[in-house]
Every structure is written in C-alpha cells, then in structure tokens.
C-alpha cells in the first residue's frame, strides 16, 4: 500500500477517536474526563474523587508520561501519523482554493479545540451552552485561534521550535530512528517537489538526516508521483529495506517507553490516594 494511502486514514481515525471519546459516557460518567466541576477523575466509565490539585497533577502526569513514553516507543512516527498538525497539512495539500482552505482549517481547528476542552467539561453542556460565552466557550475560541494560526502560518516554526514533543525527540538519539532517506542522487531531476511538500520550512531530505523531520512521508509520495513518469520508484524511501517502520525502534526503547507508561499509571493511582478502591462509583448516584 502506498504511503499516502496509509497516512490519511491513520490521521483521520486518530482524530475521530480524539473527538469521539469526550462524548462517550455511561450514567453521566465519561470514558475519560478531568472533571474539575465535580472534582473527580473519570476513566473507563468509573469516577474517582479528586481535588483540584490532584486533577492538575494527574493532567501533568499524563502529559509528561505520554510525552516520554511515545518518544521512546514510536519517536517522530507519532508526528507524521497521529499529530493533528499533520492532518492539517494533509488538508492543506488537498485544497487549492485559499478561501475554502481557510474555512476548512478554521472548522478543523474549532473541532479540535472543542474536543480538547470537552476533556475538562461535559461536551454536551459545552455544546448546549456554547453561545452563552462562558469561560469554557472563551477557551474554545482562544484555542481555535491558536490552532488556526499554527496550521496556516506557523506550522514549521512551531514543530521545530515550540513543540514539547520535539524537545524530547531532540535529546534522544535520532539517527537510528530515522525512517526516510534519500538515495540515488544521479536519478534525481531536481524538481524539488519533496522540499515543497515538506511541512517544515527549509528542510531538504536530499541534504541528509535532519532532526526536525516529522516522518510524515509526504516527500516520499511526492517523489514517487514524479518518478513514476519515468517508470522508476521513489528516490526517497524508508531506511529499512523490509519497509517495516517499527524495525527502526530499538528493543530498549520499547522497554523504557512501557516502563514510563507504567510509572505514569502508578503515579496517578498514588495521586488519587487509594481512590481506585475506596471512592470508585459505577453510577452517578453518589456523585451529585
């Protein structure tokens, strides 16, 4: 299956699940929510009493744990296949009309912002009360503006400078985790399509390994579209000949990544102060 056939469905499925999770609830208890209003952490349709400080610590623990765990297991593979910024780049590559593109990205940014806030307050309540311009609605507006700016203007700058995921990737040994490389320079016709489609400004895969590469694979697809006219394959390909991307991640990386995720879970249990057994509710009877 061609790279571009894999990239879009993966990004869409990931985004769909991210949007769907806040709407999934049973007896008013969500699949995942940091409920500051009722002071509880909701997970797998179970509710655990938690103070505001505990919820803040849980959010920070999850953020840091996932940041480290994903970096040690799938590295920059996350950026190309799961990050919403890559989905925005894919949308940008499909739309040529600037007017339609702007509103498509604006709508995408709004859905992303709305879903993000829905992990902290009820998605249904947020939807019903959105036009009342309460604090949650204001945060949705702020995030929508921020996401739109990043996706349309500052994508490359954000990914290579401000993104916390990139900071972690930058301090890890990346050479052995690179998944794409340029070869056979003699066959290159210097069309620079691989450079033009790259979401990172001034990144040229032909120049060799670059730590800023987000492994989206758009350069491979662009090169393939050109070289097929000459009955040749793409001059940019995955580093491993068997094309199994997961070969690029060491066994030790997986072990360390899983260890970090386990520590994250245990930390959350500790932060809840034994609430997994003592304060667990399967109905909303005792919560209101």
């Amino acid at each position: 299956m061609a790279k571009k056939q894999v990239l879009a469905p993966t990004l869409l499925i990931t985004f769909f699940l991210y949007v769907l999770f806040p709407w999934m609830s049973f007896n008013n208890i969500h699949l995942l929510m940091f409920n500051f209003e009722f002071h509880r952490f909701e997970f797998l349709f179970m509710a655990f009493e938690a103070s505001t400080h505990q919820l803040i610590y849980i959010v920070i623990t999850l953020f840091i744990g996932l940041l480290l765990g994903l970096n040690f297991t799938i590295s920059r593979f996350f950026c190309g296949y799961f990050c919403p910024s890559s989905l925005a780049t894919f949308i940008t590559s499909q739309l040529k009309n600037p007017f339609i593109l702007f509103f498509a990205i604006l709508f995408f940014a709004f859905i992303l912002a709305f879903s993000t806030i829905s992990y902290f307050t009820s998605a249904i309540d947020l939807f019903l009360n959105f036009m009342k311009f309460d604090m949650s609605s204001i945060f949705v507006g702020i995030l929508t503006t921020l996401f739109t700016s990043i996706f349309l203007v500052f994508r490359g700058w954000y990914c290579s400078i401000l993104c916390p995921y990139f900071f972690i990737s930058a301090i890890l040994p990346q050479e052995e985790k690179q998944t794409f490389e340029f070869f056979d320079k003699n066959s290159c016709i210097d069309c620079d399509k691989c450079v033009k489609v790259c979401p990172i400004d001034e990144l040229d895969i032909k120049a060799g390994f670059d730590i800023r590469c987000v492994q989206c694979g758009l350069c491979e697809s662009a090169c393939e579209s050109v070289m097929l006219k000459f009955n040749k394959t793409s001059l940019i390909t995955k580093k491993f000949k068997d094309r199994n991307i997961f070969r690029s991640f060491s066994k030790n990386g997986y072990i360390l990544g899983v260890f970090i995720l386990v520590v994250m879970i245990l930390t959350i249990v500790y932060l809840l102060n034994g609430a997994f057994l003592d304060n667990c509710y399967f109905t909303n009877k005792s919560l209101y």
Side-chain angles (χ1 to χ4, degrees):
M1 182 179 289
K3 172 63 189 276
K4 57 186 176 182
Q5 292 177 309
V6 176
L7 181 63
T10 305
L11 288 169
L12 288 172
I13 291 173
T14 303
F15 181 68
F16 174 76
L17 292 176
Y18 184 79
V19 172
L20 178 65
F21 283 171
W23 294 90
M24 298 178 65
S25 65
F26 178 74
N27 287 334
N28 288 332
I29 302 176
H30 296 79
L31 178 64
L32 176 64
M33 177 179 285
F34 311 96
N35 199 323
F36 284 87
E37 181 180 1
F38 294 102
H39 300 287
R40 65 178 188 252
F41 172 58
E42 301 175 16
F43 182 64
L44 296 179
F45 308 113
M46 297 182 291
F48 310 98
E49 290 182 352
S51 66
T52 299
H53 289 90
Q54 284 177 313
L55 286 173
I56 293 175
Y57 293 147
I58 290 172
V59 171
I60 294 175
T61 301
L62 277 173
F63 179 75
I64 296 177
L66 291 175
L67 204 64
L68 294 174
L70 290 174
N71 255 299
F72 278 108
T73 51
I74 62 176
S75 188
R76 301 304 290 275
F77 183 69
F78 168 83
C79 302
Y81 282 83
F82 301 105
C83 180
S85 186
S86 290
L87 180 54
T89 300
F90 177 79
I91 295 173
T92 303
S93 67
Q94 301 300 309
L95 300 175
K96 305 303 179 183
N97 187 302
F99 182 80
I100 297 177
L101 173 62
F102 173 77
F103 282 99
I105 293 297
L106 181 64
F107 178 73
F108 171 68
F110 171 76
I111 297 298
L112 180 62
F114 186 95
S115 301
T116 301
I117 299 300
S118 295
Y119 282 94
F120 299 91
T121 186
S122 171
I124 296 177
D125 292 341
L126 181 60
F127 177 77
L128 295 176
N129 300 321
F130 185 75
M131 296 309 296
K132 293 182 179 180
F133 299 104
D134 57 4
M135 188 59 67
S136 298
S137 302
I138 293 174
F139 275 118
V140 171
I142 293 174
L143 284 182
T144 299
T145 303
L146 179 63
F147 290 151
T148 302
S149 301
I150 291 175
F151 297 154
L152 288 178
V153 183
F154 304 111
R155 163 76 198 274
W157 181 73
Y158 172 80
C159 290
S160 59
I161 298 178
L162 292 180
C163 178
Y165 196 87
F166 173 80
F167 283 151
I168 303 299
S169 297
I171 63 176
L172 297 178
Q174 291 292 318
E175 186 66 41
E176 64 178 32
K177 296 182 179 181
Q178 183 186 7
T179 56
F180 293 94
E181 66 177 6
F182 176 75
F183 68 97
D184 194 6
K185 295 182 180 180
N186 295 328
S187 298
C188 181
I189 62 173
D190 294 322
C191 65
D192 281 341
K193 274 201 170 184
C194 57
V195 179
K196 295 175 182 177
V197 299
C198 181
I200 306 300
D201 296 335
E202 300 179 358
L203 192 155
D204 188 350
I205 187 67
K206 296 181 293 182
F209 175 73
D210 194 312
I211 187 64
R212 297 174 298 162
C213 176
V214 297
Q215 311 297 347
C216 65
L218 293 177
C219 56
E220 181 191 28
S221 297
C223 184
E224 183 180 40
S225 66
V226 174
M227 299 312 296
L228 283 176
K229 299 176 183 178
F230 301 93
N231 295 320
K232 295 183 178 180
T233 58
S234 175
L235 304 181
I236 301 171
T237 186
K238 295 184 179 71
K239 189 173 183 178
F240 292 87
K241 293 182 179 180
D242 62 3
R243 305 185 69 79
N244 183 353
I245 193 170
F246 292 103
R247 285 286 186 87
S248 61
F249 310 124
S250 65
K251 181 179 179 181
N252 291 335
Y254 279 124
I255 294 175
L256 185 56
V258 172
F259 174 76
I260 291 173
L261 294 177
V262 171
V263 171
M264 176 188 70
I265 295 173
L266 294 177
T267 303
I268 292 175
V269 174
Y270 174 77
L271 290 172
L272 290 172
N273 195 24
F276 268 81
L277 295 178
D278 299 331
N279 300 315
C280 178
Y281 301 96
F282 291 88
T283 68
N284 64 335
K285 183 176 180 180
S286 303
L287 295 174
Y288 299 96

